Amino acid sequence: MTKRDTDLALTVLNAATLVVDGIQEGLARRGHAAVRPAQGFALVRIGQGDTTVLDVAEQLGVTKQAASQLVEVLVGRRHVKRVADPNDARRRLLTLTARGRACAAATEEAAAEAVAAWRPTLGAAGLKSLYGLLGALDRTGPLRPAW
C-alpha cells in the first residue's frame, strides 16, 4: 500500500461523507431532521418489503437487540409499523407508514441533490465517469452505513 492508495481511500471516504451530510441536510429541509443515517438505511430495507427486525440487523451489520432499539424509535416516530405475517403467525413484519414512505422519498430527493451539487465541479461527463468507475467496484449485498 502506498501513500497514494491511502489518499485515495480518504478521498472516497470524504465523498461518502459529503453524500451522507448532503442527505441529512436535505432531510432537515424537508422536515425530517430527526432521522439519522442508520435509521435511513433501515427505512430503505423496510421499504423493500417482507422485512423483520432480523433483516434490519443483517442490513446494518448490528445485533438483533440494536436493530430492535432502532426499529422501536422508527415505530415511535410513526415511520414504521409492525404487522402480522400472513404466512407465519410467529413473525412480525415491518412496513413503512405514509410518513415513512414520505421520508424515504425525501431521502431519495436529498441523495440526488447531494450528488447533483458535484456537477459544477465535475461536469456531466465527470459524473458519468465517476458513476462508471465506482459502479465497477460495486458489490452486491446490504447497503450499510459507514460507521
Side-chain angles (χ1 to χ4, degrees), residues 2 8 13 16 22-23 29 40 44 51 59 63 65 74 86 101 103 126:
T2 67
L8 177 58
L13 288 171
I23 292 170
R29 283 194 311 276
V44 167
T51 306
Q59 176 80 12
T63 65
Q65 292 76 14
L74 294 173
R101 287 188 300 277
C103 184

Side-chain angles (χ1 to χ4, degrees), residues 7 12 38 45 69 79 95 103 107 120-121 136 139 142:
D7 289 347
V12 171
R45 176 61 184 95
Q69 290 174 348
H79 287 105
T95 62
C103 184
T107 300
T121 302
R139 70 172 184 90

Side-chain angles (χ1 to χ4, degrees), residues 66-78:
S68 292
Q69 290 174 348
L70 187 146
V71 166
E72 197 58 42
V73 169
L74 294 173
V75 168
R77 290 185 180 157
R78 300 183 334 268

Side-chain angles (χ1 to χ4, degrees), residues 5-78:
D5 293 337
T6 301
D7 289 347
L8 177 58
L10 293 174
T11 299
V12 171
L13 288 171
N14 184 55
T17 299
L18 289 172
V19 171
V20 171
D21 289 350
I23 292 170
Q24 290 306 117
E25 291 165 12
L27 282 173
R29 283 194 311 276
R30 290 167 173 83
H32 300 280
V35 175
R36 305 308 316 144
Q39 295 165 348
F41 281 93
L43 288 172
V44 167
R45 176 61 184 95
I46 294 165
Q48 294 171 351
D50 292 332
T51 306
T52 65
V53 169
L54 184 57
D55 296 322
V56 172
E58 290 173 358
Q59 176 80 12
L60 299 178
V62 299
T63 65
K64 185 177 176 185
Q65 292 76 14
S68 292
Q69 290 174 348
L70 187 146
V71 166
E72 197 58 42
V73 169
L74 294 173
V75 168
R77 290 185 180 157
R78 300 183 334 268

